Amino acid sequence: MKLDIRPASEPSEGEAENARKLFASGCEFVKGVVDIDGLPLPDRVEVCFAGRSNSGKSSLINALTGRKSLARTSGTPGRTQEINYFALGSTHYLVDLPGYGYAKAPKAKVDRWQSLLRNFLQGRAPLRRAFILVDARHGPKQVDDGIMSLLDAAAVPFQIVFTKSDKIGSRQLDALPELAADAIQRHPAAFPEFIATSSVSRLGIDSLRANVAAIG
């Protein structure tokens, strides 16, 4: 039986206010981590953003925080080569993970990034939620399924966030629930809600902010 997956509901006034306060408290780059031993102390709630190379992670983090260049963006897949930590207020870390899948880099370097990604997902105690970013134009792929399986094994709840939703038509938008349901039906760590976003039109940004703020 196929899962009933739906778009995340609009935040209530209280949820929106909590999110506004959290994101108004400031967000700053802390460090880029290239080795698991370099991770910050586990003293804050962590939420991470994972996605295929060029899925729009950096652009979404910039839109989410209201900062134009907090996270570096590039048209070259595989630009994010580190685990990038951003301090959100005094309570949260936003974590930008290396893009997985296709990357314009030597195989040895790509393998090193992927190993770092796997070790992080499997062993980070304060990690409370993973947002799996999926380009709305292309939908979930097999490589996304592999990351979801890692999150299942680590018991890290995850939620699909469709990016670049301004680039598709209404028919494709209407098909997103089925795409998401097909992707998560075998994954016990998955949330039964998705968020459709656009860093350009700001579609879904308030909803995503409210989701982050509610994680404690």
Side-chain angles (χ1 to χ4, degrees):
M1 185 175 66
K2 185 169 289 190
L3 289 175
D4 177 22
I5 185 168
R6 56 198 177 277
S9 58
E10 289 296 314
S12 67
E13 287 187 13
E15 291 168 338
E17 179 61 12
N18 288 339
R20 186 197 65 77
K21 289 179 178 177
L22 176 61
F23 282 87
S25 62
C27 189
E28 300 294 337
F29 176 73
V30 176
K31 65 187 303 187
V33 177
V34 296
D35 184 272
I36 204 73
D37 293 332
L39 292 170
L41 291 173
D43 57 357
R44 295 180 180 220
V45 171
E46 296 180 5
V47 295
C48 72
F49 297 83
R52 297 197 306 274
S53 295
N54 218 26
S55 62
K57 287 188 289 86
S58 297
S59 294
L60 186 65
I61 289 172
N62 288 337
L64 192 63
T65 58
R67 301 278 297 278
K68 290 184 178 180
S69 57
L70 181 66
R72 294 180 301 170
T73 60
S74 172
T76 303
R79 173 68 180 273
T80 303
Q81 303 174 14
E82 306 168 333
I83 295 178
N84 288 319
Y85 267 77
F86 303 91
L88 179 61
S90 60
T91 56
H92 289 65
Y93 279 129
L94 304 182
V95 188
D96 183 13
L97 298 181
Y100 52 81
Y102 173 78
K104 289 184 177 178
K107 184 178 185 301
K109 182 176 286 188
V110 174
D111 288 344
R112 187 163 65 250
W113 300 342
Q114 304 311 313
S115 176
L116 179 62
L117 177 64
R118 287 193 297 272
N119 289 336
F120 172 81
L121 293 178
Q122 291 174 335
R124 190 64 177 168
L127 180 60
R128 303 294 174 79
R129 179 84 56 87
F131 293 104
I132 304 297
L133 275 54
V134 174
D135 188 324
R137 298 171 298 179
H138 307 304
K141 302 296 183 183
Q142 185 172 358
V143 68
D144 298 309
D145 188 73
I147 297 298
M148 293 176 192
S149 293
L150 282 177
L151 292 164
D152 289 336
V156 175
F158 70 85
Q159 188 168 8
I160 288 181
V161 175
F162 287 104
T163 59
K164 308 182 184 183
S165 298
D166 59 301
K167 298 182 182 296
I168 62 175
S170 58
R171 183 174 297 180
Q172 288 173 288
L173 280 170
D174 290 342
L176 292 182
E178 185 172 357
L179 285 177
D182 287 342
I184 71 169
Q185 59 184 338
R186 296 178 301 278
H187 295 287
F191 269 64
E193 294 183 345
F194 68 89
I195 305 174
T197 68
S198 165
S199 58
V200 176
S201 71
R202 298 192 59 79
L203 172 71
I205 297 300
D206 288 343
S207 230
L208 184 52
R209 282 181 166 182
N211 270 260
V212 171
I215 300 168

